Amino acid sequence: MTERGAAAAVETVFRIESARIIAGVTRIVRDVGIAEEIAQDALVAALEQWPRSGVPDRPGAWLMTTAKHRAVDLVRRRETYARKLAEVGRSLEDVPPPEPADADDIDDDLLRLVFTACHPVLSAEARIALTLRLIGGLTTAEIARAFLVPEPTVAQRIVRAKRTIATARVPFEVPYGADRAARLSSVLEVIYLIFNEGYAATAGDDLLRPALCEDALRLARVLAGLAPDEPEVHGLAALLEFQASRLAARTGPDGEPVLLADQNRARWDRLLIRRGVAALGRAGSGPYAVQAAIAGCHATAARYEDTDWTRIAALYGRLAVLTPSPVVELNRAVAVSMAEGPEAGLALVDRLAQAPALRGYHLLPSVRGDLLERLGRPAEARAEFERAAALAGNARERALLLDRAARLTPPQP
């Protein structure tokens, strides 16, 4: 095998296996930062050896074995790990030999790593960055590009996150009981935020960042496999499957947004819709399950005209009880307007006009403009679209709103 071919194989395998390797090593060294460094050492070893010896039959197991050897050696050898050696010296005897471990053990370690990276002691930004780095296998540069922030900023977030976890002595474990429910909520929230940033970018020139959606969807699927008895995990997985199924139709040839009513449903991914339906069948009745049910109504409607808006409005009503927020109410207003008419929706939107959380939210005037247009009040609708465009952070959304405003401008005499 050529050096370039071996390097490509190493990169591919490491991308797939890095989270499991880091998780497995963290169980030995009890420090995600050190575990990540050891995993990188295994990567370097593969880059050195595979061009000469060829890619092993089980490359992931090779990387895991190499990393665990080095982890055990480091724990035993380095004086700076003396305290850790004392702490884990007994458990080292229980560490399985650095051979391919049982798949269930690996998955347990991976789940522990997910909970560690999403610990509430970290800020939301830090949790997202650390999760994408450790679980998603993204580089610092890739995360920085995804969120349009300087690479040093992401690097600092990751370093601080690891330091905070070490300082706070966050245990490498899956919590139980109420603590587990609270931590699981944090895990799901991080995955949801990652997907949303890919589905509707808050800033920049592109509406979508498909790679982020793919990463979040993959994380949700992994979590659903690791925690099959958690209904909300399946609810989130169902929601992301449904949302991802529409990605290809959300933008036009030049990247411009395409509204739901105008999307070519033949471009929706039927496999993802079927996966969403299956996951929804295992979801409970929590907030993610309700959102998934809403997304499922859209995904399973053959035509826009077939959408069951009455059911969607009722589901938003249930969601408002579970997780009350002005944004949920705004979405409910849209559904009500489709089920009962624009006047009913406008009445709900106007009640939200003074909500502090929506003062800078561009979708409030955008929705109001849409309702006013449907009511035959073009001048007011145009003003709302222009106000929404001024608030939009994404260039594609801003262009769409300005276009809608321009189409309502009366022709000059």
Side-chain angles (χ1 to χ4, degrees), residues 155 287 348:
L348 294 175

Side-chain angles (χ1 to χ4, degrees), residues 118-188:
C118 295
H119 195 281
V121 73
L122 303 176
S123 68
E125 293 82 4
R127 279 181 246 161
I128 290 171
L130 194 61
T131 301
L132 285 175
R133 176 64 171 268
L134 297 182
I135 314 298
L138 273 65
T139 66
T140 303
E142 288 171 331
I143 299 169
R145 281 199 300 272
F147 286 94
L148 303 178
V149 295
E151 189 173 338
T153 300
V154 172
Q156 288 175 2
R157 283 179 188 168
I158 293 172
V159 169
R160 287 173 185 162
K162 293 175 185 172
R163 190 183 303 145
T164 299
I165 287 173
T167 303
R169 294 180 177 273
V170 172
F172 183 63
E173 65 180 17
V174 177
Y176 293 93
D179 192 29
R180 177 170 182 170
R183 295 271 297 278
L184 180 63
S185 173
S186 173
V187 171
L188 299 181

Side-chain angles (χ1 to χ4, degrees), residues 158-309:
I158 293 172
V159 169
R160 287 173 185 162
K162 293 175 185 172
R163 190 183 303 145
T164 299
I165 287 173
T167 303
R169 294 180 177 273
V170 172
F172 183 63
E173 65 180 17
V174 177
Y176 293 93
D179 192 29
R180 177 170 182 170
R183 295 271 297 278
L184 180 63
S185 173
S186 173
V187 171
L188 299 181
E189 180 187 13
V190 166
I191 296 174
Y192 184 60
L193 289 174
I194 293 170
F195 185 90
N196 277 349
E197 185 59 29
Y199 192 72
T202 52
D205 296 330
D206 297 322
L207 179 67
L208 306 178
R209 293 183 189 137
L212 280 180
C213 292
E214 291 170 9
D215 285 327
L217 182 55
R218 184 171 61 83
L219 292 174
R221 289 171 178 168
V222 168
L223 196 58
L226 296 173
D229 298 327
E230 297 287 353
E232 269 294 81
V233 175
H234 295 290
L236 178 65
L239 172 60
L240 302 196
E241 299 279 8
F242 284 134
Q243 298 292 73
S245 73
R246 302 203 298 265
L247 276 175
R250 291 200 73 224
T251 54
D254 298 322
E256 71 277 14
V258 179
L259 298 176
L260 179 63
D262 302 324
Q263 289 178 12
N264 179 0
R265 299 189 176 216
R267 300 188 66 197
W268 290 5
D269 191 318
R270 299 296 158 188
L271 174 60
L272 296 186
I273 292 174
R274 287 196 295 274
R275 291 181 64 98
V277 171
L280 186 57
R282 304 181 67 183
S285 56
Y288 289 115
V290 175
Q291 292 179 77
I294 293 170
C297 285
H298 290 298
T300 55
R303 302 176 306 158
Y304 183 74
E305 294 78 11
D306 299 331
T307 307
D308 188 348
W309 290 107

Side-chain angles (χ1 to χ4, degrees), residues 307-378:
T307 307
D308 188 348
W309 290 107
T310 300
R311 173 170 164 72
I312 292 174
L315 287 167
Y316 271 120
R318 192 191 307 172
L319 185 62
V321 173
L322 294 172
T323 56
S325 83
V327 173
V328 172
E329 289 294 344
L330 182 61
N331 288 328
R332 188 171 76 87
V334 173
V336 168
S337 78
M338 298 302 295
E340 302 176 16
E343 282 192 8
L346 186 61
L348 294 175
V349 170
D350 285 347
R351 286 182 209 162
L352 296 169
Q354 300 306 316
L358 298 182
R359 277 181 191 155
Y361 191 48
H362 69 287
L363 290 183
L364 176 64
S366 174
V367 169
R368 197 165 189 278
D370 183 69
L371 296 175
L372 289 168
E373 182 180 5
R374 289 167 56 194
L375 286 168
R377 296 158 62 178

Side-chain angles (χ1 to χ4, degrees), residues 54-116:
V55 177
D57 293 337
R58 300 177 63 191
W62 189 98
L63 286 169
M64 178 71 84
T65 299
T66 302
K68 283 191 171 181
H69 270 305
R70 294 184 179 220
V72 173
D73 287 346
L74 272 175
V75 170
R76 287 173 172 161
R77 191 178 65 244
R78 293 173 58 173
E79 290 184 1
T80 52
Y81 291 163
R83 179 180 54 80
K84 294 183 181 296
L85 181 61
E87 291 175 353
V88 302
R90 183 174 177 182
S91 62
L92 272 176
E93 301 302 322
D94 301 326
V95 171
E99 297 298 332
D102 181 84
D104 289 340
D105 289 342
I106 293 175
D107 286 349
D108 286 347
D109 286 342
L110 186 56
L111 190 58
R112 293 185 188 101
L113 184 61
V114 171
F115 275 92
T116 301

